Amino acid sequence: MNDNNFGPLAALIGVWKGDKGSDVAPTPDNSEHIPYHETLTIEAVGDVTNAKKQHLWVIRYHQVAQRKSDNEVFHDQIGYWTWDADQQEVTQSLTIPRAVCLLAGGTASQTNGTVKLNVSSKSGDQHWGIAQTPFMDANAKTTAYTHEVVVDGDTMTYSQSTMLDIYGIEFDHTDGNTLTRVS
Ligand code: HEM
C-alpha cells in the first residue's frame, strides 16, 4: 500500500443528490425529454498494482436516477473510476442493466480547487471500447460516449453524450445533472 493518492478522484468521494437531471432519450418516432432526480454514491476502494508496475487508485460508484413525474427508477448504473498518477490518466468503466458496458479513458485537471474529468469511449476502439450483446449491437447500438464531470467543493455537475444507432438513425442520448454532496 502506498501513500493515499486518489488524486483528482478524492474530490468525488461521498453521497451526492441532485434534482436537476435532464435526460434526452430516443423513441421510435422521435425523442423524449425526462427530468429526473438521482442519488450517486461514490466510495473509496483503494489501490491496485498491474503487472508489478502500473499503480491505480480506485473509487466505485452506484448511480440511481428516478423520473420526477412518478419517482420510478429508470436508470441504474455501477462503475469504477481509476487514477494513474504516473500517466496522469483517468478511466471510467461502467455497466448498465441493458447488457452494455464500456471503458472510457481520459484526463483530469485541477484549477483553483475545481476538479474536471473528461473521458470518452468508442465502439470498435481497441482500448477505450464498448461491449454489448448481439441484440443491442443489432437494434440499439451504443457507438460512442463522452462524459465530463466538474466538482467544485460540494457541488458536482456532469454532462454526457451517448451516441446510439437506433430506429434507423444516429441519436444523441444526453444526460446531465447538478448534485450536492450530502455526506
Ligand atoms: C443518467 C443516465 C441515463 C439515463 C437517465 C438514461 C435513460 C434512458 C431512457 C429513459 C431511455 C429510453 C428507453 C427507456 O425508457 O428505457 C434510454 C435508452 C437507452 N440508453 Fe440510456 N440513460 C442513461 C445513460 C445511458 C448510458 C451511459 C448508456 C450506455 C452506456 C445508455 C444506453 C442506452 C441505450 C442503448 C438505450 C436504448 C434502449 C432502447 O430504447 O431500447 N444510457 N436511456
Side-chain angles (χ1 to χ4, degrees), residues 45-98:
V45 173
D47 59 331
V48 297
T49 304
N50 288 327
K52 301 279 184 213
K53 44 184 178 206
Q54 185 194 43
H55 204 69
L56 302 179
W57 283 84
V58 186
I59 60 175
R60 72 170 160 254
Y61 69 88
H62 184 197
Q63 177 187 33
V64 179
Q66 292 168 266
R67 265 194 223 105
K68 276 192 179 176
S69 59
D70 57 7
N71 252 2
E72 194 69 19
V73 174
F74 76 128
H75 183 76
D76 188 290
Q77 182 178 315
I78 56 169
Y80 294 103
W81 288 91
T82 70
W83 167 242
D84 179 339
D86 289 345
Q87 298 300 319
Q88 298 283 294
E89 184 176 86
V90 173
T91 76
Q92 182 190 19
S93 51
L94 68 87
T95 304
I96 60 164
R98 296 182 189 277

Side-chain angles (χ1 to χ4, degrees), residues 23 25 34 36 74-75 96 98 102 136 140 162 164 173 175:
D23 170 69
I34 307 171
Y36 64 90
F74 76 128
H75 183 76
I96 60 164
R98 296 182 189 277
L102 63 79
M136 295 305 275
T162 309
L164 303 177
H173 174 26
D175 292 281

Side-chain angles (χ1 to χ4, degrees), residues 6 21 35-36 57-58 73 79 95 104 110 124 128 138 161 164 169 172 180:
F6 285 99
Y36 64 90
W57 283 84
V58 186
V73 174
T95 304
Q110 296 194 64
W128 312 117
S161 159
L164 303 177
I169 57 161
D172 191 2
T180 303

